[in-house]
Amino acid sequence: MPKIDKQTIDKIMEAAKIEEVIDECLGSYGPNNPNGLKKSGVRYKALCPFHDDKSMGSFIVYPKGNCYKCFSCGAKGGVIEWLMEHEKLSYPDAIRWLGKKYSIPVDDVPVDWTYIPKPAPPPLPTLHLPMSLVLRTQYAATTESDNLIKWIYTGIKWDSVQRRRITQVLADYHVGHGKKGHTIFWQLDEGGHVRTGKMMKYYPPGHAKYGHRDKDSSWNFDFIHSVLSKHWDPELREFTDEPPYPYPDIYNPDKQEARLTFFGMHLTQAAMYRHATIKLVESEKTAILMAIAYGNSASDLWIACGGLEMLTRERLKPLIDQGRRIILYPDRDGIDKWRKKVDSIGYDRLSIDTDPVLKWWRPEDGPKADIADVVVRMLNTSKPLTNIQDVATEMPQVKPLIDNLDLTIDNEQ
Ligand SMILES: [Zn+2]
């Protein structure tokens, strides 16, 4: 058997990363792979494959030292020891395995090793959270407690029709408020089941970016399901989502899987929206504002996918199954991406409308303005109709009425 030269071995040892090698063999940790490798701060953890390990914590992988160690059974080593112990490879085959993985030619001797992925267990049932959780946070969401809600009520120049819609829209969409200052956008699916909630902080009144997301303060973003599975690890001094879970009776990630849906999806099945066109925007805030500004349940239902990348055929499926007409309203930075998605999704009742961010957009909105920014600027700079001539110009359909009845506005100067 040909000898592998030292230079090649050095090159391979330089390239090989312990966390990548172990991940290749164990797979990444997830609900369907409890034996996988899991990032934990700057280190990684897994159930120790060398002893009958019941809970994570003993087996640690150190990227910095390029090694692993089990504090229970004492197994330890680097990439070579891992491949020899865990994959039962000979030393030269371990080198060849690494050469193959890192595209470093070794020799022509084939590695006597084939990666056989462990059969994936059946998918876990979808997590459904109790509605009482939603309602509790909804009661807590007031103009006093919640920065975004306060801004919606007081920071925008709604007309009287729009203003009357605010309370109903916030209730219909189940906007909630969390104890640590988050606005909670609950995600209920087409069957009305609570999938999870997205938690985001917004700047307080007086801040230059009042009405926008607070990305400065700590813990400004999270998901309800993630919070329910986290507990404080006093040793690591960070939140971890490893067993034992703090709320196993509400959510146990080993038993259910959290699956996201679109914000407002539950409304697609409400009688009043049964025939509405689905108008899909990126952010939850935009969906709320558009529902208040343009809400007409007979014709439009505004929902949010929650991010550029969240728009997938899989998540659109309930809407496609309902045969709904869907119009996408991308933000400025998402136009190209969503155009491509429309093509790849291939549903003939799906189209895209860029008017709000192209036609309605003005330079003063700034290059990064999203739909909400454009619409709020339009609302806040619109001229109040205090003059009967303005009313006639804005609403030509009432002009004959004004002329015939010689109407005036009470407080017209
Ligand atoms: Zn062990």
Side-chain angles (χ1 to χ4, degrees):
M1 185 174 285
K3 219 169 167 267
I4 303 168
D5 64 272
K6 188 174 178 306
Q7 241 181 333
T8 305
I9 295 174
D10 288 348
K11 217 167 135 188
I12 282 168
M13 295 308 287
E14 182 92 2
K17 290 199 169 69
I18 189 75
E19 69 275 20
E20 293 172 358
V21 170
I22 295 183
D23 191 88
E24 174 102 34
C25 299
L26 298 182
S28 298
Y29 176 87
N32 287 327
N33 187 15
N35 297 317
L37 187 66
K38 184 169 190 230
K39 195 161 176 24
S40 174
V42 295
R43 304 175 291 184
Y44 290 78
K45 290 179 178 181
L47 290 174
C48 177
F50 303 109
H51 79 273
D52 184 20
D53 202 359
K54 292 277 189 285
S55 68
M56 263 196 227
S58 306
F59 184 82
I60 313 284
V61 177
Y62 303 90
K64 217 175 156 190
N66 219 20
C67 62
Y68 63 90
K69 180 172 176 174
C70 175
F71 289 88
S72 290
C73 70
K76 61 175 182 179
V79 285
I80 298 293
E81 289 77 11
W82 170 267
L83 289 172
M84 292 175 72
E85 291 297 320
H86 191 263
E87 303 301 321
K88 308 289 176 211
L89 298 183
S90 65
Y91 176 77
D93 275 357
I95 295 291
R96 291 184 185 103
W97 188 100
L98 291 168
K100 210 168 147 192
K101 177 166 173 62
Y102 291 98
S103 310
I104 298 165
V106 178
D107 53 27
D108 295 333
V109 180
V111 181
D112 181 22
W113 182 88
T114 37
Y115 175 54
I116 302 158
K118 292 161 194 83
L124 297 170
T126 300
L127 170 69
H128 292 163
L129 293 170
M131 192 63 195
S132 56
L133 211 58
V134 175
L135 297 176
R136 227 164 64 200
T137 68
Q138 239 177 289
Y139 298 139
T142 67
T143 49
E144 290 314 305
S145 64
D146 194 87
N147 291 340
L148 180 70
I149 292 177
K150 188 175 192 111
W151 175 77
I152 289 175
Y153 274 100
T154 62
I156 304 171
K157 256 168 65 183
W158 304 109
D159 67 29
S160 56
V161 176
Q162 293 165 332
R163 184 162 295 280
R164 275 198 294 273
R165 276 199 286 256
I166 301 178
T167 309
Q168 193 61 50
V169 167
L170 293 175
D172 287 349
Y173 283 80
H174 298 297
V175 178
H177 179 79
K179 278 186 217 154
K180 302 287 181 189
H182 299 95
T183 304
I184 304 172
F185 299 104
W186 288 100
Q187 295 184 2
L188 279 69
D189 63 21
E190 64 284 2
H193 303 291
V194 185
R195 295 285 189 91
T196 186
K198 197 177 186 182
M199 308 160 56
M200 293 193 283
K201 285 188 184 169
Y202 285 83
Y203 285 117
H207 193 283
K209 289 198 250 171
Y210 182 36
H212 285 93
R213 269 189 64 191
D214 173 356
K215 294 184 181 173
D216 299 325
S217 55
S218 62
W219 196 22
N220 59 62
F221 177 93
D222 215 326
F223 279 101
I224 293 288
H225 69 271
S226 160
V227 173
L228 291 173
S229 68
K230 278 181 191 169
H231 69 253
W232 178 254
D233 183 327
E235 195 201 327
L236 281 171
R237 298 203 57 76
E238 63 183 22
F239 285 107
T240 70
D241 49 359
E242 279 155 25
Y245 303 111
Y247 303 100
D249 48 339
I250 306 180
Y251 175 39
N252 182 335
D254 295 333
K255 294 191 176 147
Q256 304 113 333
E257 188 171 358
R259 294 188 174 88
L260 305 187
T261 184
F262 295 155
F263 174 67
M265 187 65 112
H266 61 293
L267 295 174
T268 62
Q269 289 300 297
M272 62 188 209
Y273 290 110
R274 201 53 67 74
H275 303 289
T277 295
I278 307 297
K279 301 197 160 180
L280 187 65
V281 293
E282 208 180 301
S283 93
E284 293 85 356
K285 185 181 101 179
T286 305
I288 293 281
L289 294 182
M290 297 302 260
I292 297 169
Y294 305 102
N296 175 352
S297 59
S299 65
D300 306 323
L301 171 60
W302 294 91
I303 70 176
C305 65
L308 261 188
E309 305 301 334
M310 302 297 286
L311 180 67
T312 61
R313 194 175 216 284
E314 179 63 31
R315 293 210 177 94
L316 280 172
K317 196 174 178 294
L319 300 174
I320 295 174
D321 289 348
Q322 292 172 31
R324 303 298 284 253
R325 188 164 128 74
I326 308 166
I327 305 177
L328 306 179
Y329 289 86
D331 284 331
R332 279 173 78 79
D333 56 359
I335 295 173
D336 291 343
K337 245 185 196 153
W338 278 16
R339 279 213 175 106
K340 278 183 202 139
K341 288 219 174 163
V342 169
D343 293 340
S344 71
I345 288 167
Y347 171 57
D348 59 2
R349 306 206 74 200
L350 174 67
S351 59
I352 191 162
D353 185 345
T354 54
D355 277 359
V357 284
L358 294 181
K359 250 198 204 158
W360 305 357
W361 181 84
R362 296 283 171 274
E364 65 262 32
D365 294 327
K368 284 187 178 165
D370 60 18
I371 297 174
D373 297 326
V374 173
V375 169
V376 168
R377 187 261 306 148
M378 287 167 66
L379 290 166
N380 283 349
T381 55
S382 69
K383 209 166 141 225
L385 306 179
T386 52
N387 176 302
I388 200 71
Q389 248 39 63
D390 290 346
V391 176
T393 317
E394 283 287 314
M395 294 182 272
Q397 66 275 24
V398 300
K399 191 164 187 315
L401 204 63
I402 293 170
D403 294 343
N404 286 338
L405 301 177
D406 196 20
L407 290 178
T408 58
I409 286 179
D410 270 356
N411 58 355
E412 194 172 343
Q413 311 268 320

